[in-house]
Amino acid sequence: MRDENIRIRAAAPEDAAQLLDIYTPYVEQTAITFEYDVPTLEEFQRRIARTLQRYPYLTAERGGELLGYAYLSPFVGRAAYQWAAETSIYLRMDSRGLGLGRALYEAIEGIARAQNLTNLEACIGRPAGEADEHLTDNSVEFHAHMGYRMVGEFHKCGYKFGRWYHMAWMEKLLAPHVPNPAPVRPFPALTGPELRALGIEAVAGRP
């Protein structure tokens, strides 16, 4: 059960130091991300700011400490893909198993629906055989539990820690696919009441 003292709110570039602390072990110790080098603080701040121009970037906070974060990003980037977005989620290593993943993903999905997105796509590293100390199938199992289905897998396309890893795509459909879909609303266009209705703290200064 999720701790009632944990709140979900929009992240900001000012949160970058804590969020980078969460991300760093994933780069250095796991193949969950295929990134080799830990980004600089300045680069991480730019990533957050760039995401927030169009997509949600949420964090779970308890008593001023950030325990995890999730965000959406462009899927491929061509205009025709604009109703689809890619998901990402990272939890502090000592904060897994608290229900934060579900809480963050449910909040992200609520925002995605409010933005008129139809598809969420998850790019997931997975072992090319037996699980090892750097990667298991936990992320695939989490996404399946959240209603994502497997749609494809690329074999041994990622190389990290001297080993080859597969990359899977999983997908969740949020809305019917109709002719002339409603325009995608950028995250900054969502109002404070809309966010609060989704259980997300409104961004400072947002009506």
Side-chain angles (χ1 to χ4, degrees):
M1 181 179 295
R2 181 178 140 200
D3 187 333
E4 63 182 14
N5 295 314
I6 294 173
R7 61 186 184 127
I8 305 296
R9 65 166 176 84
E14 292 76 22
D15 295 315
Q18 284 198 66
L19 297 181
L20 184 56
D21 285 344
I22 293 171
Y23 183 59
T24 294
Y26 287 93
V27 177
E28 295 179 338
Q29 302 170 23
T30 82
I32 291 172
T33 174
F34 283 179
E35 194 160 22
Y36 277 19
D37 300 316
V38 177
T40 65
L41 178 59
E42 293 74 17
E43 168 59 21
F44 212 72
Q45 289 171 328
R46 286 192 293 270
R47 292 183 186 185
I48 296 169
R50 185 166 57 246
T51 297
L52 287 169
Q53 291 174 7
R54 187 166 181 83
Y55 295 104
Y57 201 123
L58 304 181
T59 186
E61 179 183 324
R62 181 178 60 196
E65 286 189 296
L66 304 187
L67 307 180
Y69 65 95
Y71 61 91
L72 297 181
S73 54
F75 176 65
V76 180
R78 303 295 188 192
Y81 291 106
Q82 65 187 281
W83 288 273
E86 185 177 340
T87 64
S88 297
I89 185 168
Y90 295 94
L91 304 180
R92 206 170 73 180
M93 291 293 185
D94 62 356
S95 296
R96 293 175 292 182
L98 302 178
L100 298 181
R102 171 173 286 278
L104 284 165
Y105 252 38
E106 287 178 346
I108 282 283
E109 289 176 13
I111 291 173
R113 289 186 175 94
Q115 290 186 277
N116 298 321
L117 298 177
T118 58
N119 295 40
L120 292 181
E121 321 290 356
C123 176
I124 303 168
R126 65 183 316 194
E130 294 294 324
D132 60 41
E133 68 272 26
H134 302 297
L135 191 63
T136 68
D137 260 336
N138 285 351
S139 186
V140 168
E141 293 164 3
F142 166 75
H143 282 83
H145 189 66
M146 293 298 299
Y148 287 69
R149 66 181 183 90
M150 185 72 69
V151 293
E153 185 174 81
F154 295 95
H155 296 159
K156 296 184 178 179
C157 61
Y159 185 77
K160 190 173 182 181
F161 304 123
R163 299 172 186 174
W164 288 102
Y165 293 100
H166 296 339
M167 186 270 284
W169 278 106
M170 298 183 74
E171 178 179 62
K172 186 169 186 176
L173 304 182
L174 302 179
H177 294 79
V178 299
N180 303 311
V184 176
R185 300 172 65 199
F187 179 62
L190 272 61
T191 66
E194 285 181 288
L195 294 176
R196 286 190 289 272
L198 295 169
I200 302 160
E201 287 203 6
V203 180
R206 184 171 297 189

